[in-house]
Amino acid sequence: MQCDRIWRDARLMSMVGRDLGIVEDGVIASRGDRIVYAGPASDAPDFDAVEETRCDGRWVTPGLIDCHTHLVHGGDRSHEFQLRLQGASYEDIAHAGGGIASTMRATREAGEDALVATALPRLDALIGEGLTTVEIKSGYGLERDAEIRMLRVARRLGRERRVGVVTTFLGAHAVPPEYAGDAGAYVAAVCDDMLPAAAAEGLVDAVDVFCEGIGFSPAHTERVLAAAAALGLPVKLHADQLSNLGGGALAARYGALSADHLEYLDDAGIAAMARAGTVATLLPGAFYFVRETRLPPIAALRAAGVPIAIATDCNPGTSPLTSLLLAMNMAATLFRLTVDECLAGVTRNAARALGLAGEIGTLDAGKRCDLAVWNVERPAELVYRMGFNPLHARVWKGQ
């Protein structure tokens, strides 16, 4: 059988099935940007490859996927970090004009080239650890032109680097100062102007809302979700991070791809997410950085069969994290996820959280040939180490 490339003598974590899908003596073959075979060498067809690579027994996983980031933004919020060390809460800082509003001002002032220049090092750090797909949200412009500029920058990052970029419109991230005291009017602008304009330019792959006491009420959130549905766009939700507003159940009611954070998710929300197939995306970087104490309901999510994804939540205020490897370690140590759950969380379940389970996330014939090749002795090493990068090679679209 003719193929373009073949990788032999590999140990595969295919992520097919409920566990890691381990194949000890594995082969992967690709044609164009697609996998044509991934499995045991003993079952492989007789391939005639243009290019052959021997992995010398290294482990190969699907390329890693970061399914929740705020990678594009102006400025930083290191000064707020100092305030939190002195006892200020996230809510205190937000009510004093800091938080998202602070990043909004810096982002509005930054041009497209400047936003690209500051985002690229963050993206490169992720790519350097085997990332092949990343979700990037807007949400720091909070007015039409700046939100669209953020989404254009996200698309441009996918042209500047060999990486898949999924864009999410998060215009309902905070109420900007010009709408202070009138969240309803801002939500109307989001639904009637900002979102349709961004979607008309083909810049929106999904829509997200920050459903929280310092963000948007369930009623306002539902209005944005309905506007997204009317445009045929899938939805996600920042839900139940700081309080229980029923965000998980609301996300499920709209068939959301994922509900993210979820520290205050209740049993009704878990049951609704299980029925809807909504992924629970956990963000241990934010939990750690903000020094939260309430854990997401991991055991209940497991018992209900809700798929669990893990992401960096890379953002300037609450999770300035650009390492999926460290995010996995945090998920294991802080949330007590297993090694298998962590690895599934940045591959097959992360793909599902982006609506891309048919394209990426497992080593399966027909899927995109996105691979990460690792210098590790066993899968647990990818979760166990901190501040150490064992990546040997990264393959995106077969190259």
Side-chain angles (χ1 to χ4, degrees):
M1 180 184 294
Q2 183 67 38
C3 67
D4 295 328
R5 292 174 180 82
I6 190 166
W7 292 264
R8 297 189 186 276
D9 190 20
R11 289 184 286 177
L12 308 184
M13 285 181 261
S14 72
M15 310 311 300
V16 175
R18 295 182 60 84
D19 55 17
L20 297 182
I22 287 176
V23 178
E24 285 290 347
D25 182 15
V27 168
I28 302 171
S30 70
R31 185 181 303 118
D33 66 352
R34 298 286 150 174
I35 296 171
V36 294
Y37 179 81
S42 58
D43 297 339
D46 185 14
F47 284 110
D48 181 14
V50 174
E51 180 181 312
E52 181 169 318
T53 300
R54 301 204 69 83
C55 295
D56 299 325
R58 293 182 176 90
W59 285 98
V60 181
T61 67
L64 303 190
I65 303 163
D66 197 345
C67 62
H68 182 132
T69 84
H70 305 255
L71 206 65
V72 174
H73 60 80
D76 71 70
R77 304 223 300 265
S78 56
H79 61 292
E80 293 180 11
F81 176 64
Q82 289 182 295
L83 292 174
R84 280 203 299 276
L85 292 176
Q86 296 165 9
S89 71
Y90 181 69
E91 291 91 335
D92 292 338
I93 292 168
H95 288 311
I100 293 167
S102 171
T103 302
M104 176 207 73
R105 291 189 291 271
T107 303
R108 285 183 177 182
E109 292 170 2
E112 184 174 314
D113 289 345
L115 290 172
V116 169
T118 56
L120 278 174
R122 295 188 280 268
L123 179 58
D124 286 342
L126 290 164
I127 289 172
E129 289 188 348
L131 176 111
T132 51
T133 300
V134 61
E135 184 254 21
I136 302 176
K137 303 180 191 293
S138 69
Y140 290 127
L142 305 183
E143 55 92 15
R144 184 178 62 183
D145 291 347
E147 287 290 299
I148 287 175
R149 183 163 66 252
M150 290 185 70
L151 294 167
R152 286 175 181 157
V153 167
R155 289 279 198 242
R156 183 170 154 187
L157 292 173
R159 298 190 296 272
E160 296 272 350
R161 295 292 187 266
R162 295 184 56 77
V163 66
V165 172
V166 176
T167 56
T168 298
F169 173 81
L170 182 57
H173 197 192
V175 178
E178 55 267 34
Y179 285 90
D182 198 352
Y186 179 65
V187 168
V190 167
C191 296
D192 300 338
D193 179 27
M194 294 162 62
L195 175 56
E201 287 197 28
L203 295 173
V204 182
D205 296 322
V207 176
D208 195 353
V209 184
F210 185 32
C211 181
E212 191 53 74
I214 60 172
F216 294 89
S217 70
H220 288 147
T221 297
E222 188 158 10
R223 183 171 178 185
V224 179
L225 298 182
L231 291 169
L233 294 168
V235 298
K236 306 165 70 69
L237 202 63
H238 283 62
D240 302 329
Q241 178 188 9
L242 305 172
S243 62
N244 179 13
L245 294 182
L250 177 57
R253 189 154 69 247
Y254 279 83
L257 295 172
S258 71
D260 304 15
H261 287 289
L262 302 177
E263 281 81 350
Y264 285 81
L265 179 67
D266 60 18
D267 289 343
I270 292 169
M273 288 174 63
R275 289 191 299 270
T278 297
V279 174
T281 298
L282 304 184
L283 306 172
F287 181 91
Y288 162 83
F289 197 77
V290 184
R291 293 187 291 181
E292 294 178 8
T293 57
R294 184 179 179 112
L295 293 166
I298 304 297
L301 288 167
R302 282 188 189 124
V306 176
I308 296 172
I310 300 166
T312 64
D313 190 19
C314 176
N315 77 77
T318 62
S319 187
L321 174 63
T322 53
S323 170
L324 271 176
L325 296 178
L326 183 53
M328 283 196 289
N329 179 272
M330 287 179 169
T333 56
L334 298 175
F335 297 163
R336 299 296 189 265
L337 264 62
T338 67
V339 167
D340 286 19
E341 286 171 331
C342 289
L343 290 166
V346 297
T347 54
R348 67 169 177 255
N349 289 341
R352 186 169 173 177
L354 297 179
L356 294 175
E359 278 285 301
I360 56 176
T362 61
L363 303 180
D364 256 332
K367 291 196 177 179
R368 203 164 73 201
C369 188
D370 292 353
L371 315 174
V373 185
W374 305 97
N375 287 315
V376 295
E377 290 299 317
R378 55 187 60 85
E381 195 172 341
L382 293 175
V383 180
Y384 144 81
R385 288 188 179 273
M386 295 185 292
F388 178 79
N389 182 4
L391 185 72
H392 173 75
R394 171 184 170 275
V395 177
W396 183 64
K397 291 189 174 181
Q399 298 182 3

